[in-house]
Amino acid sequence: MTEHGSQEETDRQQIAKLIEGELPWDELRNDVLPDPKDGQRFETTREIIQSKVGWDDPVLVPLNDKLYAVGTDDGRRVRCECGHDFCDLDEHWKEHARVRVREDVEEMEEIYPQHQTPHPEWTFQLREWFCPGCFAQVDVDAVPATYPVKRAFDPDIDAFYEEWLGKPAPDRRDGAAD
Amino acid sequence: MSIENERVAGEKRRVREDGDEIGWDGRSLQEMLRETEALTEETGRYRGLERLEMKEESRFEYERLYSRLRGALVSARETALHVSASPIVREIGELCFQIYTPEGDSIAVSTGIIVHVHTGSLAIKWMIEQDYEHDRGIEPGDIFCNNDNDLGNVHTTDVHTIVPIFHDGELVAWADGVTHEIDIGGMSAGHTSPVHTRRFEDGIYATCEKVGKDDERFQDWKVRGERSTRTPQYWDLDEKCRIAGCHMIREAVHDIIDDVGAETFKQFTREAVEEGRQTMESRVQERLFPGTYQSTSFAAMPFEEEGWKPEQQRDHLIHLPVEMEVETDGTMSVDMEGASPQGDHSFNAAEGSMTGGLWVSMTQCLLHDGKVNDGSHIALDTNFPEGSITNPDDPQLSFHAPWGTIMPTFQSVWQNVSQGFFSRGFREEVVTGYSETSDTLQGGGTLMESMAQLIPDEVGDYYPIGPFDLSCQGLGASAVRDGLDWGYAMWNPESDMGDIEEWELTQWGTQYLSRQVKTDSAGHGKYRGGSGWEGVMTFMGNDEASLLKTAQPDVTFSVAGMSGGYPGSTKYAVRAHDTDLQARARQEEPYPVGDTPPGTFEEDIDGDIVRTERGTYFPKQFDNYDLVHFQMGGGPGWGDPLDRPVEKVVEDVEDQIFSPGTVEDVYGVVGEFDEDTLDFEIDEDATDEARERIRERRDAESMTYDEFFDQERQRVAEADVSDQVATMYEEVFDISEAFAEEFEAFWGTKGGLG
């Protein structure tokens, strides 16, 4: 199990504000940014997120601002905060997303002014990935045309819980309902 | 003997009289290096240290020694920079001091351009492997110099001075000082030039040369600097600055040894390196999440029209994939398999360049406490494929501007590490990236004789152009707030725009006309990237001036934002020659102070206006009253722009970060903007409708993944991509079987494109 800093546990309300982006700068600067970090941050964050989402399946790890790895009776899944399930965690969630590709200069100029976009002759794309359930924009890729879709993060969830936190993941605990 | 420092003179006599090996306990440096490498390799711990005895049993003394040593490095930097005359050293602090073990392992590093944690290490190890101790000789009072990237450096205009520190006949440490030169000669004026293709064009190369003894530089070395650089006064004073700093460090080490004894000092240095390794591993376990992380950056070199030499007249798109593994034991790896090959350009980045980028990044995101050293390096495995742009095997290539490769690459590293921070709950530590530090104006001019009389200076009338206000770019957003506006450079965490007057003092024939916000440069998102800015400069009192500009990104993006955020905008170029500025000034008519929105620069100036989508141009002649526009970029954003609170979007418009048209298209925020009062009055109903419309368009204009896959796969089959993209793939397939297999497996094709 990892040893953590000796700082008192960061106030739960402070972390809740942090997640909402509402923590004032002085608290962020003085309480949250400096070392040592709060050793309970992961669990506190996970509990706050769990209390906010509209389902009982345990959140295992946040993947980004909208997507979570969750444990379900059907195995580990990638789920949007709107409740839409993309796929099994082993799969790449982008293969179950909607995507809009901007490559023409007119499409780029909806986002950026003239001259501040990629040159159209270089066939460079912005790929905007949407949740099919709520059409939140969950990721953007900036890649040349025909570039393979890569998986940004493949977490080793069991290793994290068992070796770093010293306990099974929430979906692997005996009879544990999170 | 000319050494005035009696202690060093005594050490030299001792070494010569003894005639023994200069390593510890009668061993050679080569023997020490081999033993250290073997013990570290065998155990995974620095020199196999089982325990940090001194740190555990004499904790106060250990920490006091660390503080004293690091304090000496910081003090050397802060004091010695006043010896320099170069504004990029004196004003911006483009220098750094390090101390190394006899084998060349970094023990501690000062503040400043901390890219050099591991660069001096590579150079010292190279000298040891080349048996300098028995051939060239390593003695107290010697001075070595290196700026050869292939041997241990970041780019050629970073110049190292390396000084051995002896005690009682043994080499106990090395001091290393680096300054960033504004000029080292070469075929084009500048400190990071895109013009060069081969080593022979880069200017002075010091290849781990002994350039002095008895604390004095050799006469022939000084003459070489005087005759080989465009700004010999800066070259000379910067070198004196480095030597002065190294000698301050040497004195500090002597004082420490006098106080605590050589054995204690030696033990401390060993433990300090091992502590660095342990700190790195514990930080990884504390802040990241085990797993595999991937991000890819791209770097463009649109040189087909700009190139001078036939072999460089082509457009390059450089592939910079970064895969990172975080292991449960706290070790980490950075793998760049699939990076583009080396080439006939100056973006070639040696191993020292890449590890420089790595450590300047890690010191900002994981190792904030100043205890970064080569122990951290041991805890991190790197693969920069040989023959790639990240580890060329041809030292005859140009290494003048490896930042063109380093800066995009480490955006991907930052994104990978930030993904770990986010998943672990440390949202405040997320950084989505940054704007690369350009537009870089570089060149020089000759002052008109009449003007030169007004600026008395004994060294002549050539002046360099290399303002370092490029160190103030937009930082990427975090996952809890917007990125820092116009205040970040990835290569120097102490970024500083510098006073305009400071640059004008040395860039005699140039005058700034403006600095202002570059509207619509920041990357969009729930949290936006930091904004960039733009400026306009003119020329006065010149006989002639030549100027180049480099810009990244310009014709492509380097990398996206994160979690639904967009990259900052690209950059471009506009300049004006043969203008009516003089007449406008006399008649008190307006002149350009920017180009926002793009295309308005021309409204307030008549002349030969040159505007290109590419932001880079090779050296052009500028005459008096010509104008040059330059642009600093915005950082990438985080999260879906529709999640950005409307009141923050209002602030963005009123602060001119974004234009009203842009926020309507991207954020769905609609209102009336008063350009005189800078008030933005929201139309709430129209805003609700616009946000709903954006969401509906996402549905209507998007496709399923299968449709997307079929569409792109068809383009793969037909090779329906630009020549630049096709060439990028072909070149990478040639040197990376792994990437070729990955590409083919993904698309289910054989033989690449077409």
Short mmCIF file of all heavy atoms in Angstrom, two decimals, chain A residues 35 37 41 62-63 65-66 98-100 103 110 112 115-117 119 123 128 135 137 146-147 152 154 156 164, chain B residues 287 290 292 294 319 328 419 423 428-429 555 563-564 566-567 569-570 640 643 698 701 703 712 715 722 747:
data_model
loop_
_atom_site.label_atom_id
_atom_site.label_comp_id
_atom_site.label_asym_id
_atom_site.label_seq_id
_atom_site.Cartn_x
_atom_site.Cartn_y
_atom_site.Cartn_z
N ASP A 35 2.10 20.66 -2.13
CA ASP A 35 2.45 19.35 -1.56
C ASP A 35 2.45 19.48 -0.04
O ASP A 35 2.68 20.56 0.49
CB ASP A 35 3.84 18.92 -2.02
CG ASP A 35 3.93 18.81 -3.52
OD1 ASP A 35 2.87 18.69 -4.15
OD2 ASP A 35 5.06 18.84 -4.04
N LYS A 37 0.07 16.12 -1.00
CA LYS A 37 -1.32 15.99 -1.42
C LYS A 37 -2.10 15.14 -0.42
O LYS A 37 -1.52 14.35 0.33
CB LYS A 37 -1.37 15.33 -2.79
CG LYS A 37 -0.82 16.18 -3.92
CD LYS A 37 -1.72 17.37 -4.20
CE LYS A 37 -1.29 18.03 -5.50
NZ LYS A 37 -2.09 19.22 -5.81
N ARG A 41 -7.50 11.48 -1.57
CA ARG A 41 -8.17 12.22 -2.63
C ARG A 41 -8.97 11.32 -3.57
O ARG A 41 -10.10 11.64 -3.96
CB ARG A 41 -7.16 13.02 -3.44
CG ARG A 41 -7.77 13.81 -4.61
CD ARG A 41 -8.61 14.97 -4.12
NE ARG A 41 -7.73 15.96 -3.54
CZ ARG A 41 -7.06 16.86 -4.27
NH1 ARG A 41 -7.22 16.89 -5.58
NH2 ARG A 41 -6.26 17.73 -3.70
N PRO A 62 -12.82 7.58 -12.81
CA PRO A 62 -13.25 8.53 -13.85
C PRO A 62 -12.29 8.48 -15.03
O PRO A 62 -11.07 8.52 -14.84
CB PRO A 62 -13.17 9.89 -13.16
CG PRO A 62 -12.83 9.63 -11.73
CD PRO A 62 -12.27 8.26 -11.63
N LEU A 63 -12.83 8.39 -16.24
CA LEU A 63 -11.97 8.34 -17.43
C LEU A 63 -11.75 9.73 -18.01
O LEU A 63 -10.71 10.01 -18.58
CB LEU A 63 -12.61 7.42 -18.48
CG LEU A 63 -12.78 5.96 -18.06
CD1 LEU A 63 -13.55 5.17 -19.12
CD2 LEU A 63 -11.44 5.30 -17.77
N ASP A 65 -14.05 13.93 -18.21
CA ASP A 65 -15.04 14.80 -17.59
C ASP A 65 -16.44 14.19 -17.60
O ASP A 65 -17.28 14.53 -16.76
CB ASP A 65 -15.05 16.14 -18.33
CG ASP A 65 -15.39 17.30 -17.42
OD1 ASP A 65 -14.93 17.28 -16.26
OD2 ASP A 65 -16.11 18.22 -17.86
N LYS A 66 -16.71 13.31 -18.57
CA LYS A 66 -18.06 12.75 -18.72
C LYS A 66 -18.11 11.25 -18.52
O LYS A 66 -19.18 10.71 -18.22
CB LYS A 66 -18.59 13.05 -20.14
CG LYS A 66 -18.69 14.51 -20.50
CD LYS A 66 -19.89 15.16 -19.87
CE LYS A 66 -20.04 16.60 -20.36
NZ LYS A 66 -21.09 17.30 -19.61
N ARG A 98 -20.50 8.67 -31.48
CA ARG A 98 -20.77 9.38 -32.74
C ARG A 98 -19.59 10.33 -32.98
O ARG A 98 -18.94 10.79 -32.03
CB ARG A 98 -22.05 10.21 -32.62
CG ARG A 98 -23.28 9.40 -32.27
CD ARG A 98 -23.96 8.82 -33.46
NE ARG A 98 -24.47 9.85 -34.36
CZ ARG A 98 -25.24 9.56 -35.43
NH1 ARG A 98 -25.57 8.30 -35.70
NH2 ARG A 98 -25.68 10.52 -36.22
N VAL A 99 -19.30 10.58 -34.24
CA VAL A 99 -18.14 11.43 -34.54
C VAL A 99 -18.45 12.39 -35.69
O VAL A 99 -19.12 12.01 -36.66
CB VAL A 99 -16.89 10.55 -34.87
CG1 VAL A 99 -17.15 9.62 -36.04
CG2 VAL A 99 -15.67 11.42 -35.12
N ARG A 100 -17.99 13.62 -35.53
CA ARG A 100 -18.06 14.60 -36.62
C ARG A 100 -16.63 14.98 -36.98
O ARG A 100 -15.82 15.27 -36.09
CB ARG A 100 -18.84 15.84 -36.19
CG ARG A 100 -18.82 16.96 -37.27
CD ARG A 100 -19.82 18.07 -36.98
NE ARG A 100 -19.56 18.72 -35.72
CZ ARG A 100 -20.42 19.58 -35.14
NH1 ARG A 100 -21.58 19.86 -35.71
NH2 ARG A 100 -20.13 20.14 -33.99
N GLU A 103 -12.63 18.96 -41.64
CA GLU A 103 -11.38 18.95 -42.41
C GLU A 103 -11.33 20.14 -43.38
O GLU A 103 -10.28 20.73 -43.57
CB GLU A 103 -11.25 17.62 -43.18
CG GLU A 103 -9.91 17.47 -43.88
CD GLU A 103 -9.74 16.08 -44.50
OE1 GLU A 103 -10.05 15.08 -43.81
OE2 GLU A 103 -9.30 16.01 -45.66
N GLU A 110 -15.63 27.57 -38.39
CA GLU A 110 -16.69 27.72 -37.38
C GLU A 110 -16.09 27.78 -35.98
O GLU A 110 -16.73 28.23 -35.03
CB GLU A 110 -17.65 26.53 -37.46
CG GLU A 110 -18.57 26.60 -38.66
CD GLU A 110 -19.68 25.56 -38.55
OE1 GLU A 110 -19.49 24.53 -37.89
OE2 GLU A 110 -20.73 25.81 -39.14
N TYR A 112 -12.45 28.57 -35.50
CA TYR A 112 -11.31 29.49 -35.47
C TYR A 112 -11.46 30.54 -36.57
O TYR A 112 -12.10 30.28 -37.60
CB TYR A 112 -10.00 28.73 -35.72
CG TYR A 112 -9.77 27.60 -34.74
CD1 TYR A 112 -10.08 26.28 -35.09
CD2 TYR A 112 -9.25 27.84 -33.48
CE1 TYR A 112 -9.87 25.23 -34.20
CE2 TYR A 112 -9.04 26.81 -32.58
CZ TYR A 112 -9.35 25.51 -32.95
OH TYR A 112 -9.15 24.49 -32.07
N HIS A 115 -7.29 32.11 -41.34
CA HIS A 115 -5.81 32.04 -41.19
C HIS A 115 -5.38 31.34 -39.89
O HIS A 115 -4.21 31.03 -39.75
CB HIS A 115 -5.14 33.43 -41.21
CG HIS A 115 -5.44 34.22 -42.44
ND1 HIS A 115 -5.19 33.74 -43.70
CD2 HIS A 115 -5.95 35.46 -42.59
CE1 HIS A 115 -5.56 34.66 -44.58
NE2 HIS A 115 -6.03 35.70 -43.94
N GLN A 116 -6.28 31.11 -38.97
CA GLN A 116 -5.89 30.48 -37.70
C GLN A 116 -6.36 29.03 -37.65
O GLN A 116 -6.67 28.49 -36.59
CB GLN A 116 -6.41 31.30 -36.52
CG GLN A 116 -5.69 32.64 -36.40
CD GLN A 116 -6.20 33.54 -35.29
OE1 GLN A 116 -6.44 34.72 -35.50
NE2 GLN A 116 -6.36 32.99 -34.10
N THR A 117 -6.41 28.41 -38.83
CA THR A 117 -6.81 27.01 -38.96
C THR A 117 -5.72 26.24 -39.69
O THR A 117 -4.86 26.85 -40.33
CB THR A 117 -8.10 26.88 -39.79
OG1 THR A 117 -7.77 27.23 -41.16
CG2 THR A 117 -9.19 27.81 -39.29
N HIS A 119 -3.95 24.34 -42.72
CA HIS A 119 -4.04 24.60 -44.15
C HIS A 119 -4.79 23.45 -44.82
O HIS A 119 -4.46 22.28 -44.60
CB HIS A 119 -2.63 24.71 -44.73
CG HIS A 119 -2.59 25.32 -46.10
ND1 HIS A 119 -3.13 24.68 -47.19
CD2 HIS A 119 -2.11 26.50 -46.54
CE1 HIS A 119 -2.96 25.44 -48.25
NE2 HIS A 119 -2.35 26.57 -47.89
N THR A 123 -4.70 18.12 -45.38
CA THR A 123 -5.70 17.12 -44.96
C THR A 123 -5.56 16.75 -43.48
O THR A 123 -5.36 15.61 -43.11
CB THR A 123 -5.64 15.83 -45.83
OG1 THR A 123 -4.36 15.22 -45.74
CG2 THR A 123 -5.99 16.12 -47.27
N GLU A 128 -14.51 15.24 -33.64
CA GLU A 128 -15.27 15.55 -32.42
C GLU A 128 -16.09 14.32 -32.05
O GLU A 128 -16.91 13.85 -32.85
CB GLU A 128 -16.19 16.75 -32.67
CG GLU A 128 -15.41 18.02 -33.04
CD GLU A 128 -16.27 19.10 -33.65
OE1 GLU A 128 -17.44 18.81 -34.03
OE2 GLU A 128 -15.80 20.24 -33.76
N PHE A 135 -25.26 13.61 -26.55
CA PHE A 135 -24.50 14.44 -27.49
C PHE A 135 -23.59 15.44 -26.79
O PHE A 135 -23.30 16.51 -27.31
CB PHE A 135 -25.41 15.09 -28.54
CG PHE A 135 -25.79 14.08 -29.59
CD1 PHE A 135 -26.97 13.34 -29.46
CD2 PHE A 135 -24.95 13.79 -30.65
CE1 PHE A 135 -27.30 12.37 -30.38
CE2 PHE A 135 -25.27 12.81 -31.57
CZ PHE A 135 -26.46 12.10 -31.44
N GLN A 137 -19.92 16.56 -25.96
CA GLN A 137 -18.65 16.37 -26.68
C GLN A 137 -17.65 15.79 -25.68
O GLN A 137 -17.20 16.47 -24.77
CB GLN A 137 -18.17 17.70 -27.24
CG GLN A 137 -16.90 17.59 -28.09
CD GLN A 137 -16.69 18.81 -28.95
OE1 GLN A 137 -17.49 19.08 -29.85
NE2 GLN A 137 -15.65 19.57 -28.69
N THR A 146 -7.01 9.73 -42.05
CA THR A 146 -6.70 8.29 -42.02
C THR A 146 -5.83 7.88 -40.84
O THR A 146 -5.36 6.75 -40.79
CB THR A 146 -6.02 7.77 -43.33
OG1 THR A 146 -4.67 8.23 -43.38
CG2 THR A 146 -6.78 8.18 -44.57
N TYR A 147 -5.64 8.75 -39.87
CA TYR A 147 -4.84 8.34 -38.71
C TYR A 147 -5.68 7.39 -37.85
O TYR A 147 -6.86 7.65 -37.59
CB TYR A 147 -4.42 9.56 -37.89
CG TYR A 147 -3.31 9.22 -36.92
CD1 TYR A 147 -2.02 8.96 -37.39
CD2 TYR A 147 -3.54 9.11 -35.55
CE1 TYR A 147 -1.01 8.61 -36.52
CE2 TYR A 147 -2.53 8.76 -34.68
CZ TYR A 147 -1.26 8.51 -35.17
OH TYR A 147 -0.25 8.16 -34.30
N ALA A 152 -6.72 6.51 -25.51
CA ALA A 152 -5.90 7.41 -24.69
C ALA A 152 -5.49 6.76 -23.37
O ALA A 152 -4.39 7.01 -22.87
CB ALA A 152 -6.66 8.70 -24.43
N ASP A 154 -5.85 3.13 -20.87
CA ASP A 154 -6.29 1.77 -20.56
C ASP A 154 -5.89 1.50 -19.11
O ASP A 154 -4.76 1.08 -18.84
CB ASP A 154 -5.62 0.78 -21.53
CG ASP A 154 -6.09 -0.64 -21.28
OD1 ASP A 154 -7.04 -0.83 -20.50
OD2 ASP A 154 -5.51 -1.56 -21.89
N ASP A 156 -5.33 0.00 -15.38
CA ASP A 156 -5.18 -1.30 -14.74
C ASP A 156 -5.88 -1.21 -13.37
O ASP A 156 -5.25 -0.95 -12.34
CB ASP A 156 -3.70 -1.64 -14.59
CG ASP A 156 -3.49 -3.10 -14.20
OD1 ASP A 156 -4.48 -3.74 -13.78
OD2 ASP A 156 -2.35 -3.58 -14.31
N TRP A 164 -2.15 -0.69 -4.71
CA TRP A 164 -1.89 0.67 -4.20
C TRP A 164 -2.85 1.05 -3.07
O TRP A 164 -2.47 1.76 -2.16
CB TRP A 164 -1.98 1.69 -5.34
CG TRP A 164 -0.78 1.66 -6.25
CD1 TRP A 164 0.23 0.72 -6.23
CD2 TRP A 164 -0.45 2.57 -7.29
NE1 TRP A 164 1.15 0.99 -7.21
CE2 TRP A 164 0.76 2.12 -7.88
CE3 TRP A 164 -1.06 3.71 -7.80
CZ2 TRP A 164 1.37 2.79 -8.95
CZ3 TRP A 164 -0.45 4.37 -8.87
CH2 TRP A 164 0.75 3.91 -9.43
N ARG B 287 0.32 9.90 -7.28
CA ARG B 287 -0.49 10.81 -8.10
C ARG B 287 -1.05 10.22 -9.39
O ARG B 287 -1.90 10.84 -10.02
CB ARG B 287 0.35 12.03 -8.48
CG ARG B 287 0.84 12.71 -7.26
CD ARG B 287 1.11 14.13 -7.41
NE ARG B 287 1.51 14.63 -6.09
CZ ARG B 287 1.89 15.86 -5.87
NH1 ARG B 287 1.91 16.72 -6.84
NH2 ARG B 287 2.23 16.23 -4.65
N PRO B 290 -2.08 3.23 -12.43
CA PRO B 290 -1.39 2.26 -13.28
C PRO B 290 -2.17 1.99 -14.56
O PRO B 290 -3.41 1.99 -14.54
CB PRO B 290 -1.29 1.00 -12.40
CG PRO B 290 -2.29 1.18 -11.31
CD PRO B 290 -2.49 2.66 -11.13
N THR B 292 -1.92 2.05 -19.24
CA THR B 292 -1.25 2.46 -20.47
C THR B 292 -1.90 3.75 -20.98
O THR B 292 -3.13 3.85 -21.02
CB THR B 292 -1.40 1.36 -21.55
OG1 THR B 292 -0.91 0.14 -21.01
CG2 THR B 292 -0.61 1.71 -22.80
N GLN B 294 -1.80 6.83 -24.08
CA GLN B 294 -1.33 7.14 -25.44
C GLN B 294 -1.79 8.52 -25.88
O GLN B 294 -2.95 8.88 -25.65
CB GLN B 294 -1.91 6.13 -26.45
CG GLN B 294 -1.35 4.74 -26.36
CD GLN B 294 -1.83 3.91 -27.54
OE1 GLN B 294 -1.21 3.91 -28.59
NE2 GLN B 294 -2.93 3.21 -27.36
N HIS B 319 5.64 12.74 -37.22
CA HIS B 319 4.79 11.90 -36.36
C HIS B 319 5.50 11.69 -35.02
O HIS B 319 6.63 11.21 -34.99
CB HIS B 319 4.60 10.55 -37.07
CG HIS B 319 3.69 9.60 -36.37
ND1 HIS B 319 4.01 8.27 -36.20
CD2 HIS B 319 2.48 9.77 -35.81
CE1 HIS B 319 3.02 7.67 -35.56
NE2 HIS B 319 2.08 8.54 -35.32
N THR B 328 2.97 -0.74 -11.32
CA THR B 328 2.57 -0.66 -9.91
C THR B 328 3.75 -0.46 -8.97
O THR B 328 3.57 -0.02 -7.84
CB THR B 328 1.80 -1.93 -9.50
OG1 THR B 328 2.56 -3.07 -9.89
CG2 THR B 328 0.43 -1.97 -10.13
N GLN B 419 -3.89 12.75 -17.73
CA GLN B 419 -4.93 11.72 -17.66
C GLN B 419 -4.82 10.96 -16.34
O GLN B 419 -5.81 10.67 -15.67
CB GLN B 419 -4.80 10.75 -18.85
CG GLN B 419 -5.70 9.54 -18.78
CD GLN B 419 -7.17 9.88 -19.00
OE1 GLN B 419 -7.54 10.42 -20.04
NE2 GLN B 419 -8.01 9.58 -18.01
N SER B 423 -7.68 10.89 -13.34
CA SER B 423 -8.29 9.65 -12.86
C SER B 423 -8.03 9.43 -11.38
O SER B 423 -8.81 8.82 -10.68
CB SER B 423 -7.77 8.47 -13.69
OG SER B 423 -8.30 8.54 -14.99
N GLU B 428 -6.70 19.38 -10.19
CA GLU B 428 -6.01 20.68 -10.22
C GLU B 428 -4.62 20.58 -10.86
O GLU B 428 -4.05 21.59 -11.24
CB GLU B 428 -5.89 21.23 -8.79
CG GLU B 428 -4.88 20.54 -7.88
CD GLU B 428 -5.42 19.26 -7.24
OE1 GLU B 428 -6.49 18.79 -7.66
OE2 GLU B 428 -4.75 18.72 -6.32
N GLU B 429 -4.09 19.37 -10.96
CA GLU B 429 -2.75 19.20 -11.53
C GLU B 429 -2.80 18.97 -13.04
O GLU B 429 -1.76 18.93 -13.71
CB GLU B 429 -2.03 18.02 -10.87
CG GLU B 429 -1.77 18.21 -9.38
CD GLU B 429 -0.75 19.30 -9.09
OE1 GLU B 429 0.06 19.63 -9.97
OE2 GLU B 429 -0.79 19.85 -7.96
N VAL B 555 0.41 25.08 -40.15
CA VAL B 555 -0.43 24.48 -41.18
C VAL B 555 -1.19 23.25 -40.70
O VAL B 555 -2.03 22.70 -41.42
CB VAL B 555 0.40 24.15 -42.43
CG1 VAL B 555 0.85 25.42 -43.12
CG2 VAL B 555 1.60 23.28 -42.06
N SER B 563 -10.61 15.81 -23.18
CA SER B 563 -11.94 15.60 -22.63
C SER B 563 -13.01 16.45 -23.34
O SER B 563 -13.97 16.88 -22.72
CB SER B 563 -11.92 15.94 -21.12
OG SER B 563 -13.00 15.36 -20.46
N GLY B 564 -12.81 16.70 -24.64
CA GLY B 564 -13.78 17.48 -25.40
C GLY B 564 -13.34 18.91 -25.66
O GLY B 564 -14.05 19.66 -26.32
N TYR B 566 -10.78 21.84 -27.32
CA TYR B 566 -10.12 22.02 -28.62
C TYR B 566 -8.68 22.53 -28.44
O TYR B 566 -8.36 23.14 -27.41
CB TYR B 566 -10.86 23.06 -29.45
CG TYR B 566 -12.20 22.63 -29.98
CD1 TYR B 566 -13.37 22.92 -29.28
CD2 TYR B 566 -12.32 21.95 -31.18
CE1 TYR B 566 -14.62 22.55 -29.76
CE2 TYR B 566 -13.57 21.57 -31.69
CZ TYR B 566 -14.71 21.87 -30.97
OH TYR B 566 -15.94 21.51 -31.45
N PRO B 567 -7.86 22.32 -29.48
CA PRO B 567 -6.53 22.95 -29.44
C PRO B 567 -6.64 24.46 -29.61
O PRO B 567 -7.66 24.96 -30.11
CB PRO B 567 -5.81 22.33 -30.64
CG PRO B 567 -6.88 21.85 -31.56
CD PRO B 567 -8.08 21.52 -30.70
N SER B 569 -5.60 27.99 -31.49
CA SER B 569 -5.59 28.21 -32.94
C SER B 569 -4.18 28.02 -33.50
O SER B 569 -3.20 28.01 -32.75
CB SER B 569 -6.07 29.62 -33.25
OG SER B 569 -5.03 30.56 -33.06
N THR B 570 -4.12 27.91 -34.81
CA THR B 570 -2.82 27.87 -35.47
C THR B 570 -2.30 29.30 -35.67
O THR B 570 -3.03 30.27 -35.43
CB THR B 570 -2.91 27.17 -36.83
OG1 THR B 570 -3.77 27.94 -37.68
CG2 THR B 570 -3.45 25.75 -36.68
N ASP B 640 -16.23 19.89 -22.66
CA ASP B 640 -17.19 20.32 -23.67
C ASP B 640 -17.44 21.83 -23.54
O ASP B 640 -17.84 22.30 -22.47
CB ASP B 640 -18.50 19.54 -23.44
CG ASP B 640 -19.55 19.80 -24.51
OD1 ASP B 640 -19.41 20.79 -25.26
OD2 ASP B 640 -20.52 19.02 -24.57
N ASP B 643 -20.42 23.21 -21.72
CA ASP B 643 -20.45 23.19 -20.26
C ASP B 643 -19.82 24.44 -19.65
O ASP B 643 -19.75 24.57 -18.43
CB ASP B 643 -19.72 21.95 -19.72
CG ASP B 643 -20.53 20.69 -19.94
OD1 ASP B 643 -21.75 20.80 -20.11
OD2 ASP B 643 -19.93 19.60 -19.95
N ARG B 698 -24.88 18.51 -33.64
CA ARG B 698 -23.99 17.39 -33.32
C ARG B 698 -24.64 16.07 -33.72
O ARG B 698 -23.98 15.17 -34.23
CB ARG B 698 -23.68 17.39 -31.82
CG ARG B 698 -22.75 18.51 -31.40
CD ARG B 698 -22.53 18.49 -29.89
NE ARG B 698 -21.58 19.52 -29.49
CZ ARG B 698 -21.19 19.72 -28.23
NH1 ARG B 698 -21.67 18.95 -27.25
NH2 ARG B 698 -20.31 20.66 -27.94
N GLU B 701 -25.06 16.14 -37.81
CA GLU B 701 -23.84 16.18 -38.64
C GLU B 701 -22.83 15.11 -38.26
O GLU B 701 -21.76 15.02 -38.87
CB GLU B 701 -23.21 17.58 -38.54
CG GLU B 701 -24.09 18.66 -39.12
CD GLU B 701 -23.55 20.06 -38.89
OE1 GLU B 701 -22.41 20.19 -38.39
OE2 GLU B 701 -24.28 21.02 -39.20
N MET B 703 -21.66 11.01 -37.41
CA MET B 703 -21.92 9.68 -37.98
C MET B 703 -21.55 8.63 -36.93
O MET B 703 -20.90 8.93 -35.92
CB MET B 703 -21.11 9.48 -39.26
CG MET B 703 -19.63 9.72 -39.11
SD MET B 703 -18.81 9.77 -40.73
CE MET B 703 -17.65 11.10 -40.51
N GLU B 712 -13.02 6.53 -43.74
CA GLU B 712 -11.57 6.73 -43.66
C GLU B 712 -10.82 5.57 -44.29
O GLU B 712 -9.77 5.75 -44.92
CB GLU B 712 -11.15 6.91 -42.20
CG GLU B 712 -11.62 8.21 -41.57
CD GLU B 712 -10.94 9.45 -42.13
OE1 GLU B 712 -9.69 9.49 -42.17
OE2 GLU B 712 -11.65 10.38 -42.54
N ARG B 715 -10.43 6.01 -47.82
CA ARG B 715 -9.35 6.96 -48.14
C ARG B 715 -7.98 6.28 -48.02
O ARG B 715 -7.06 6.61 -48.77
CB ARG B 715 -9.44 8.19 -47.23
CG ARG B 715 -10.68 9.01 -47.48
CD ARG B 715 -10.74 10.23 -46.61
NE ARG B 715 -9.72 11.23 -46.98
CZ ARG B 715 -9.66 12.45 -46.46
NH1 ARG B 715 -10.58 12.81 -45.56
NH2 ARG B 715 -8.72 13.29 -46.82
N SER B 722 -3.26 14.08 -48.37
CA SER B 722 -2.27 15.01 -48.94
C SER B 722 -0.92 14.31 -49.10
O SER B 722 -0.64 13.30 -48.43
CB SER B 722 -2.12 16.22 -48.03
OG SER B 722 -1.61 15.81 -46.77
N TRP B 747 -6.68 -0.70 -39.85
CA TRP B 747 -7.54 -0.50 -41.01
C TRP B 747 -7.85 -1.81 -41.74
O TRP B 747 -8.66 -1.82 -42.67
CB TRP B 747 -6.91 0.50 -41.99
CG TRP B 747 -6.81 1.90 -41.43
CD1 TRP B 747 -5.67 2.59 -41.16
CD2 TRP B 747 -7.89 2.76 -41.07
NE1 TRP B 747 -5.97 3.83 -40.65
CE2 TRP B 747 -7.33 3.97 -40.58
CE3 TRP B 747 -9.29 2.65 -41.10
CZ2 TRP B 747 -8.11 5.04 -40.13
CZ3 TRP B 747 -10.06 3.71 -40.65
CH2 TRP B 747 -9.47 4.89 -40.18
#
